Amino acid sequence: FLMRQPEAGFWYQFVVKPGGAEKIRCRLELAKGCIPAPELADKLGSRMEFATGIPFEFELYEKLPRISQKAVRVVYEEES
């Protein structure tokens, strides 16, 4: 569903904390011509929650860092 959104680029990461979380955090590179804004992050989060029933929080980027290997779609983040 995420890739069907016109604002979504081809690079994204789901950020997961050990033990789960109340919402899914997603780092998303925007499609060409889209500008990162809090309103857009909220709009995408609402669409994803409506489609999946799971709350989403988006971090929007003009460009996500690339690695030279296979794309990493799920990032495990340590609790602080």
Side-chain angles (χ1 to χ4, degrees):
F1 185 80
L2 176 61
M3 299 309 295
R4 291 185 199 156
Q5 303 308 305
E7 300 89 353
F10 295 114
W11 293 86
Y12 61 91
Q13 295 176 329
F14 294 110
V15 182
V16 179
K17 291 186 177 185
E22 293 180 10
K23 62 176 86 174
I24 295 178
R25 204 167 93 217
C26 182
R27 296 175 185 150
L28 175 66
E29 181 174 300
L30 292 171
K32 192 170 186 155
C34 292
I35 299 169
E39 297 82 15
L40 180 55
D42 291 342
K43 184 169 136 180
L44 288 169
S46 293
R47 287 183 195 162
M48 290 296 291
E49 183 174 359
F50 181 77
T52 65
I54 302 168
F56 274 78
E57 178 181 289
F58 278 89
E59 295 175 12
L60 304 178
Y61 296 87
E62 289 185 22
K63 186 166 182 92
L64 277 174
R66 305 286 199 271
I67 57 174
S68 60
Q69 302 169 4
K70 184 177 176 182
V72 176
R73 299 292 187 207
V74 179
V75 177
Y76 294 93
E77 187 174 80
E78 296 294 321
E79 291 190 51
S80 52

